[in-house]
Amino acid sequence: MNNETPSNIESPCIRQCCLDENDVCVGCFRTLDEILKWNSLSDNEKQVIMNTCNERKQQKKESR
């Protein structure tokens, strides 16, 4: 899945890279696997991850 065209979806990284006990970044809410694969994913796959990250972030807020 190597994209020849630049991605329209930028990385959600906010440079607060630290993984929690579930290997989810506390800054961008991506899993370690999602972070490692990011550059090789299609825009559709990236959008799915972005949606999942938003859900994780919301769950984190609600659990406080």
Side-chain angles (χ1 to χ4, degrees), residues 43-59:
D43 280 352
N44 287 338
E45 292 168 316
K46 288 178 181 180
Q47 188 58 58
V48 169
I49 290 173
M50 294 295 289
N51 294 341
T52 303
C53 290
N54 287 332
E55 291 173 11
R56 289 183 189 128
K57 186 175 183 177
Q58 189 63 36
Q59 288 173 352

Side-chain angles (χ1 to χ4, degrees), residues 5-57:
T5 59
S7 175
N8 294 319
I9 300 178
E10 293 185 28
S11 169
C13 182
I14 61 169
R15 308 290 188 254
Q16 285 187 311
C17 304
C18 184
L19 300 178
D20 68 11
E21 64 278 357
N22 298 312
D23 284 339
V24 174
C25 178
V26 299
C28 69
F29 296 93
R30 290 181 292 170
T31 65
L32 180 57
D33 188 54
E34 291 166 344
I35 293 167
L36 294 174
K37 291 180 179 178
W38 186 260
N39 288 328
S40 65
L41 299 174
S42 70
D43 280 352
N44 287 338
E45 292 168 316
K46 288 178 181 180
Q47 188 58 58
V48 169
I49 290 173
M50 294 295 289
N51 294 341
T52 303
C53 290
N54 287 332
E55 291 173 11
R56 289 183 189 128
K57 186 175 183 177

